[in-house]
């Protein structure tokens, strides 16, 4: 069983990679930032924009790099504010991000404009100016989510794309998006890399990732099977499918996560032509 990460300064977690955990106002109330070292030193994510979080990142950087020294820049995994909220306060010289993540950040009215983004495009490639590390696009959770990959050591920094012991919330804001299918594609993309360790932003590392990725793939396949069965049995909405599949669910937080995944699964089956989807006045329903 995994545990949620507890705040602390930078500690080595893999070859060429150190991790610090800083507080977050949002569950699970902590988030990891990383230092990766190559020809320079780069900070991966910035924590939130809260004073407590920014101060924790600065203190951790001072302990790791020495007083006054700053990393060469920031590599942003994705635009969610527990990962990107500290960008303005830390004032990095450059922010490497996928073009979709940069666009999502800039579109959020809570965030500043004019940050020094260097945008990468596509599905994978070398991290600009950071030898030994590559980036791989992760899909389904956030737009332009970057996974950072060090082939020499088999280290994958997965951000929120994969969480050990927690569900990764899938995107449901766009009714036309197949986030479930995109997440499955990312599982397959990463499984082909055969990573030795997967480091996440909120939970303990995934130390046996090949087995974990296989279990996650099989779990989601079972979800699709149960979703099909529920629709055939008469369930028409994500709420009805969730209740038919799980029965009593303890707590609103758990129910919200299950509803998100069920809605994403229903949309995936509809995109594959296995069920019909109807959208009327913003309400979605499904039928065989």
């Amino acid at each position: 069983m995994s545990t949620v990460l507890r705040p602390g300064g930078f500690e080595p977690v893999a070859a060429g990679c150190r991790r610090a955990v800083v507080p977050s106002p949002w569950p699970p109330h902590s988030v990891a930032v990383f230092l990766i070292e190559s020809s320079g030193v780069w900070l991966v994510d910035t924590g939130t924009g809260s004073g407590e979080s920014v101060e924790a990142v600065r203190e951790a950087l001072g302990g790791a790099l020495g007083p006054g020294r700053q990393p060469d820049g920031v590599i942003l995994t994705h635009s969610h504010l527990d990962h990107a909220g500290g960008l303005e306060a830390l004032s990095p010289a450059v922010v490497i991000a996928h073009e979709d993540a940069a666009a999502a950040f800039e579109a959020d009215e809570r965030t500043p404009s004019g940050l020094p983004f260097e945008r990468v495009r596509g599905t994978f490639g070398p991290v600009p100016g950071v030898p030994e590390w590559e980036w791989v696009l992760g899909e389904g959770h956030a737009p332009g989510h970057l996974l950072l990959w060090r082939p020499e050591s088999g280290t994958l920094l997965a951000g929120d794309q994969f969480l050990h012991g927690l569900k990764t919330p899938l995107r449901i804001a766009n009714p036309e998006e197949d986030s479930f299918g995109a997440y499955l594609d990312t599982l397959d993309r990463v499984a082909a890399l055969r990573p030795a360790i997967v480091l996440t932003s909120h939970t303990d590392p995934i130390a046996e990732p090949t087995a974990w990725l296989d279990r996650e793939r099989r779990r989601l396949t079972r979800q699709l099977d149960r979703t099909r069965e529920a629709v055939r049995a008469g369930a028409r909405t994500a709420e009805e499918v969730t209740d038919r599949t799980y029965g009593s669910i303890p707590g609103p937080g758990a129910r919200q996560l299950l509803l998100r995944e069920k809605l994403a699964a229903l949309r995936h089956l509809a995109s594959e032509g296995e069920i019909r989807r109807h959208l009327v006045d913003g309400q979605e329903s499904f039928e065989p």
Side-chain angles (χ1 to χ4, degrees):
M1 189 69 179
S2 70
T3 59
V4 171
L5 299 175
R6 302 301 177 192
F10 281 105
E11 298 288 347
V13 285
C17 180
R18 289 181 275 177
R19 182 188 69 196
V21 182
V22 300
S24 167
W26 302 291
H29 301 296
S30 63
V31 61
V33 298
F34 297 87
L35 282 178
I36 61 174
E37 298 164 277
S38 186
S39 58
V41 180
W42 290 74
L43 178 66
V44 179
D45 288 343
T46 63
T48 78
S50 71
E52 183 183 20
S53 177
V54 170
E55 183 56 34
V57 173
R58 286 175 172 156
E59 183 176 343
L61 287 172
L65 304 180
R69 185 185 171 192
Q70 296 298 314
D72 294 281
V74 165
I75 303 170
L76 186 64
T77 61
H78 61 296
S79 62
H80 292 169
L81 290 184
D82 55 336
H83 297 262
L87 277 173
E88 184 179 27
L90 294 174
S91 300
V94 63
V95 182
I96 296 172
H98 194 276
E99 61 178 352
D100 294 340
F105 183 84
E106 292 175 335
D108 191 328
E109 61 185 19
R110 297 169 295 178
T111 60
S113 60
L115 287 170
F117 281 113
E118 181 173 345
R119 301 163 198 252
V120 298
R121 297 169 175 81
T123 305
F124 59 88
V127 179
V130 190
E132 301 174 358
W133 289 87
E134 302 171 4
W135 64 268
V136 180
L137 180 63
E139 299 176 282
H141 173 65
H145 193 309
L146 292 186
L147 314 178
L148 299 179
W149 168 239
R150 193 172 192 260
E152 181 183 357
S153 61
T155 301
L156 185 81
L157 303 190
D160 285 1
Q161 188 70 29
F162 306 131
L163 298 173
H164 188 192
L166 298 176
K167 286 182 181 292
T168 296
L170 299 179
R171 295 175 65 191
I172 58 171
N174 179 1
E176 306 305 322
E177 180 182 13
D178 179 13
S179 61
F180 197 101
Y183 185 82
L184 290 176
D185 290 344
T186 301
L187 280 172
D188 295 340
R189 191 177 301 146
V190 171
L193 297 175
R194 302 190 64 81
I197 186 169
V198 173
L199 301 167
T200 86
S201 292
H202 296 291
T203 67
D204 283 345
I206 301 172
E208 297 180 350
T210 298
W212 186 91
L213 292 164
D214 180 64
R215 286 195 303 271
E216 181 72 349
R217 194 62 161 81
R218 287 187 281 112
R219 180 185 75 80
L220 293 173
T221 299
R222 290 194 299 271
Q223 283 281 48
L224 292 176
D225 291 341
R226 292 168 182 163
T227 302
R228 286 189 199 93
E229 292 169 5
V231 173
R232 289 170 185 158
R236 292 293 177 261
T237 66
E239 290 83 357
E240 291 173 357
V241 171
T242 300
D243 291 339
R244 186 177 290 270
T245 302
Y246 295 105
S248 177
I249 302 168
R255 179 174 176 79
Q256 186 65 28
L257 280 172
L258 294 173
L259 279 170
R260 288 175 70 109
E261 191 166 272
K262 281 301 183 189
L263 180 55
L266 285 161
R267 290 173 177 173
H268 175 67
L269 292 175
S271 74
E272 295 289 299
E274 296 190 47
I275 60 177
R276 290 193 182 96
R277 170 177 168 269
H278 302 282
L279 181 62
V280 179
D281 296 329
Q283 299 297 313
E284 288 179 84
S285 62
F286 302 84
E287 64 181 19

